[in-house]
Amino acid sequence: MPDVITRTARRQARALVSLFKSASAGGIILIIASAAAIIVANSSLAEMYRWLLHYSIGGLSVELWVNDALMAIFFLLVGVEIKREMLIGQLATWGQRALPGLAALGGMAVPALIYLGFNISNGETVAGWAIPSATDIAFALGVLALLGSRVPISLKIFLSALAILDDMGAVIIIALFYTGGLSAMMLAAAGGMVLLLMLMNRMGVKRLTPYLLVGVVLWFFMLQSGVHATIAGILLALFIPLKGKDEQQDAPLDKLEHVLSPWVTFLILPLFGFANAGVSLGGLTMDDLLSPVPVGVALGLFIGKQIGVFGMALLAIKTGLAPRPHGSSWSQLYGVSVLCGIGFTMSLFIGNLAFARTPLLVDEVKIGVLAGSIVAALAGMLILRFSSSRNESHRES
């Protein structure tokens, strides 16, 4: 009996290690953390959950530490990925950028228009127009990983590139449209830190520590400036050197990405999901569930994303601007377009910014994001599960 227990424990340990090494691990853990938040928010622990989120540490609530500080690290990783892909990766040439770039543009514009269609007459809720415009890269790539070899590598590259460009668009939207009262003095101080980072880069500083120390100061000034503090992460990433001192030394950018990736995947994003997905359903009526905000968000993600992404991809391919991803069929490309409607992390983040002073609207955003993302994930998986690449992949019609 002890030998049986030992073998079972070893198999379970190997399965756990395999899970954490898999591409779907981040998405699965994020789902678990978000589901836990919903369960807790609708249980006898709801009061403790709210107390914990609003508990003050160093002048900021736990919720703000997660959304303004930890998410700045997430945005730093996003910035690192954007820089690497734009310089030496999947987006290094204009030809490589054409298809995912146009698809990302359509996938941001159409969901926003659908949301506005439901909310244009309401001056309070119209501010949430950007909520359904974002694709959650961790969730979407996690779903693709679960499908394994049924999806061509070219489509995984397409989705990854699209999501990176989508994140870039979301960062620009946050910087331009979701800022508070601006402090000229703090903005000037933040600008000074950016100039210092630029000078360090030009002088050939290759060590990460000086960049990270300046980045912390930049984050503080951004936090006080009225521009959302997470933008500091993106700005810092722009100046991290892409190459080391020599070929034997790891590039600072690669080293930073290697260090940050597991922390973001297995700690920061799950904490964000737990802190932001918890919505209490007890006080919500059917009118709340079917109000313009959750309906606009859900339909924007599920309907708008697939129309925008697939429509622009189809236009780019048919006009000869870009080829269809190698070895893929139209139905597979459509299935990936549906998966782009998984908007979880960035959509919740923008929702918190848009309706920071209206908790009920934030709860409605959560319902819309969860509904739209779940339907998009299930529909996309089904389409890709039963799509064939053999019959269509070489047929241009």
Side-chain angles (χ1 to χ4, degrees), residues 6-160:
T6 301
R7 286 196 298 270
T8 302
R10 286 174 179 171
R11 283 197 298 270
Q12 291 174 343
R14 285 196 295 269
L16 188 62
V17 171
S18 177
L19 170 64
F20 276 87
K21 288 183 177 180
S22 71
S24 59
I28 292 171
I29 293 173
L30 186 53
I31 290 171
I32 293 171
S34 304
I38 296 171
I39 293 170
V40 169
N42 290 277
S43 71
S44 59
L45 298 174
E47 284 298 323
M48 183 180 295
Y49 175 72
R50 286 190 287 270
W51 173 84
L52 175 63
L53 292 181
H54 293 99
Y55 183 77
S56 179
I57 301 175
L60 292 177
S61 67
V62 169
E63 185 176 20
L64 286 178
W65 274 113
V66 172
N67 291 345
D68 285 13
L70 291 183
M71 285 301 283
I73 300 174
F74 164 73
F75 275 86
L76 173 58
L77 180 60
V78 169
V80 166
E81 292 173 344
I82 289 172
K83 180 173 180 177
R84 176 172 48 77
E85 296 301 330
M86 293 292 286
L87 293 179
I88 59 172
Q90 301 163 9
L91 301 170
T93 67
W94 285 108
Q96 291 174 301
R97 297 168 193 164
L99 185 61
L102 289 171
L105 185 62
M108 298 187 78
V110 178
L113 291 174
I114 288 178
Y115 179 91
L116 287 173
F118 285 93
N119 292 272
I120 193 67
S121 60
N122 189 323
E124 184 180 21
T125 63
V126 74
W129 62 271
I131 294 169
S133 295
T135 293
D136 190 294
I137 189 169
F139 265 139
L141 291 177
V143 170
L144 277 191
L146 292 175
L147 292 165
S149 60
R150 291 188 182 92
V151 181
I153 294 294
S154 62
L155 278 181
K156 296 177 182 178
I157 294 173
F158 166 74
L159 178 59
S160 178

Side-chain angles (χ1 to χ4, degrees), residues 64-391:
L64 286 178
W65 274 113
V66 172
N67 291 345
D68 285 13
L70 291 183
M71 285 301 283
I73 300 174
F74 164 73
F75 275 86
L76 173 58
L77 180 60
V78 169
V80 166
E81 292 173 344
I82 289 172
K83 180 173 180 177
R84 176 172 48 77
E85 296 301 330
M86 293 292 286
L87 293 179
I88 59 172
Q90 301 163 9
L91 301 170
T93 67
W94 285 108
Q96 291 174 301
R97 297 168 193 164
L99 185 61
L102 289 171
L105 185 62
M108 298 187 78
V110 178
L113 291 174
I114 288 178
Y115 179 91
L116 287 173
F118 285 93
N119 292 272
I120 193 67
S121 60
N122 189 323
E124 184 180 21
T125 63
V126 74
W129 62 271
I131 294 169
S133 295
T135 293
D136 190 294
I137 189 169
F139 265 139
L141 291 177
V143 170
L144 277 191
L146 292 175
L147 292 165
S149 60
R150 291 188 182 92
V151 181
I153 294 294
S154 62
L155 278 181
K156 296 177 182 178
I157 294 173
F158 166 74
L159 178 59
S160 178
L162 185 153
I164 288 171
L165 291 170
D166 191 286
D167 282 346
M168 187 187 303
V171 169
I172 293 171
I173 287 172
I174 291 168
L176 294 180
F177 298 101
Y178 294 101
T179 58
L182 298 179
S183 166
M185 183 175 70
M186 289 299 172
L187 276 177
M193 293 301 101
V194 171
L195 288 175
L196 180 57
L197 288 170
M198 185 185 301
L199 182 62
M200 289 163 56
N201 182 279
R202 291 292 180 87
M203 291 176 62
V205 176
K206 301 296 182 182
R207 294 179 59 210
L208 273 174
T209 302
Y211 289 98
L212 297 179
L213 290 175
V214 175
V216 171
V217 179
L218 172 62
W219 173 83
F220 174 79
F221 288 141
M222 280 290 189
L223 181 67
Q224 304 297 323
S225 72
V227 176
H228 201 269
T230 53
I231 301 299
I234 294 288
L235 292 174
L236 173 58
L238 295 178
F239 300 102
I240 302 293
L242 184 62
K243 297 180 180 179
K245 289 182 179 179
D246 50 53
E247 294 183 0
Q248 282 71 42
Q249 185 187 49
D250 291 336
L253 196 77
D254 292 339
K255 188 185 299 183
L256 182 61
E257 184 175 16
H258 179 74
V259 171
L260 289 182
S261 187
W263 287 100
V264 169
T265 301
F266 299 117
L267 179 64
I268 292 174
L269 287 182
L271 280 175
F272 175 84
F274 186 76
N276 290 275
V279 54
S280 176
L281 303 175
L284 295 175
T285 65
M286 188 56 68
D287 288 340
D288 293 326
L289 296 175
L290 298 178
S291 65
V293 169
V295 171
V297 170
L299 293 182
L301 286 171
F302 179 56
I303 302 296
K305 274 290 184 179
Q306 59 177 285
I307 292 175
V309 172
F310 187 72
M312 289 299 284
L314 181 65
L315 179 65
I317 294 167
K318 290 296 186 181
T319 56
L321 290 174
R324 191 168 68 195
H326 178 72
S328 67
S329 66
W330 288 113
S331 58
Q332 288 176 323
L333 182 59
Y334 174 64
V336 169
S337 301
V338 174
L339 280 186
C340 289
I342 304 173
F344 192 80
T345 305
M346 200 69 80
S347 292
L348 289 178
F349 189 80
I350 294 174
N352 284 333
L353 297 179
F355 304 127
R357 298 181 181 179
T358 316
L360 178 60
L361 290 179
V362 172
D363 283 346
E364 291 183 1
V365 167
K366 293 176 183 178
I367 292 169
V369 170
L370 290 170
S373 297
I374 290 171
V375 173
L378 294 176
M381 284 187 70
L382 285 173
I383 293 169
L384 289 168
R385 173 66 179 80
F386 295 104
S387 293
S388 170
S389 60
R390 295 178 181 176
N391 296 331

